[in-house]
Amino acid sequence: MSSTYTATDAEAYERLMGRWSRLLAEDFLAFAGLARGESVLDLGCGTGALSLALAARAEPRSILGIDIAERYVDHARRRSSDPRLGFAVGDAAALDFADDRFDRSLSLLALNFVPQPARALAEMRRVTREGGIVAAAVWDFAGGLVYQRIFWDTAAALDPEADRARARHFASPLTREGELEAAFAATGLRDVESRALSIRMRYADFADYWEPIANAQGPVGDYVKRLPAAALATLAAALEHAYRSGGADGPRSMAATAWIARGRV
C-alpha cells in the first residue's frame, strides 16, 4: 500500500484542506452525476468530504470510502451514522473488490498522490460496471491553487530546499492541463469530458491562513516540519507580508482551481 501524502493527523488535515474539500465536493458531484439506487466508491476518501456530500443526497444506495491512511478513515467513520455509508483502509492501486462492484467510482483530490495513478484509474474502471461512470478531480497546483502558490513561491525565495520541494510538488502527476483527461482516455474510458472547476478559499485573517500551514499534512507539512524555529519564524513573517500585500490584516478570498474529468466504462 502506498501514497506520497503524509497523512498522520486528521484534524490538521481538516484545518488545512478539509474545509475546502467540502466546498469542491458539491460542484464536483454536479459534474460527476448521480442516479437513484447507485452503489458509489469514493477512492482516496481522506477524512470523508466527498463521502459525506454523497450521504447528504437521497440517490445513493450505498457509499464506500477507501483510503490508505487509517487515521483519516477512523476520523471519517466518526462523522456520520448513515447506514448507507461505510469506510475502509485500502490501496487505490490494488482494490479488494470484484469486477463491476460499483455503479460509479469517484476520487476527489487523491489520484496525484498515488505513486502509480494509471493503476489506480485502471482499478476504478475495473470495479465499475459497464455503462457506469468514473470521475476524478485533482488540484491545479502550479496554476490554480493560490494559497499554495503564495506559500511555495515565498518559501522558495528564502530556501533552495523549498525551491526543490516546490518543483517536486508542482510536477505531481495529472495536475497539469490535459493530463487527467488523457489518463482517462488511456485507461479505456469512453465519452471522456474534462474541465476546470474553481471555488473560493476565504480566510478570516493571516492566522487563519498560517496556522493550518504550520501544522500541515502532505507536502507543505513535510517541508515546514523540517524547519528550525528561526527559519520557521522567518517564513511566517515573509508569508504574512505576502498575505497582506500592502494592506491591513483581515479577510482574504483566494481562488482554488481543480482539473476534473469524467468517463464511461
Side-chain angles (χ1 to χ4, degrees), residues 4 44 112 150 153 193 228 243:
T4 62
N112 56 288
I150 291 172
D153 288 354
E193 302 174 53
Y243 179 91

Side-chain angles (χ1 to χ4, degrees), residues 51-228:
S51 291
L52 291 169
L54 285 161
R57 302 178 181 222
E59 293 93 338
R61 171 174 50 86
S62 65
I63 306 151
L64 182 59
I66 297 291
D67 200 274
I68 198 169
E70 186 172 356
R71 292 184 183 180
Y72 284 15
V73 169
D74 288 343
H75 179 88
R77 285 193 183 112
R78 295 193 295 268
R79 298 179 68 184
S80 175
S81 58
D82 191 317
R84 301 172 299 159
L85 180 58
F87 293 97
V89 176
D91 184 358
L95 294 173
D96 190 20
F97 302 119
D99 295 356
D100 310 321
R101 166 70 171 75
F102 299 95
D103 298 296
R104 203 169 294 257
S105 293
L106 311 177
S107 182
L108 183 71
L109 308 178
L111 286 178
N112 56 288
F113 293 111
V114 178
Q116 296 175 296
R119 286 184 58 182
L121 271 173
E123 283 290 87
M124 292 176 75
R125 180 181 183 276
R126 178 184 67 78
V127 302
T128 305
R129 65 166 174 81
E130 184 176 355
I133 296 295
V134 174
V138 295
W139 287 124
D140 175 11
F141 289 123
L145 196 56
V146 173
Y147 101 92
Q148 282 211 13
R149 191 83 224 198
I150 291 172
F151 170 81
W152 285 114
D153 288 354
T154 302
L158 297 171
D159 178 11
E161 178 51 39
D163 186 42
R164 291 186 286 271
R166 178 182 60 176
R168 291 191 299 270
H169 183 44
F170 286 3
S172 295
L174 308 182
T175 62
R176 302 270 182 184
E177 185 172 10
E179 290 182 344
L180 188 62
E181 179 182 13
F184 268 53
T187 303
L189 295 165
R190 304 291 183 90
D191 306 321
V192 176
E193 302 174 53
S194 68
R195 64 182 178 89
L197 174 63
S198 294
I199 60 169
R200 304 294 302 189
M201 295 179 169
R202 291 182 169 87
Y203 297 94
D205 51 26
F206 176 68
D208 191 32
Y209 173 85
W210 167 247
E211 289 170 6
I213 287 175
N215 297 284
Q217 298 279 275
V220 172
D222 293 342
Y223 175 72
V224 297
K225 288 171 183 174
R226 289 198 298 265
L227 290 177

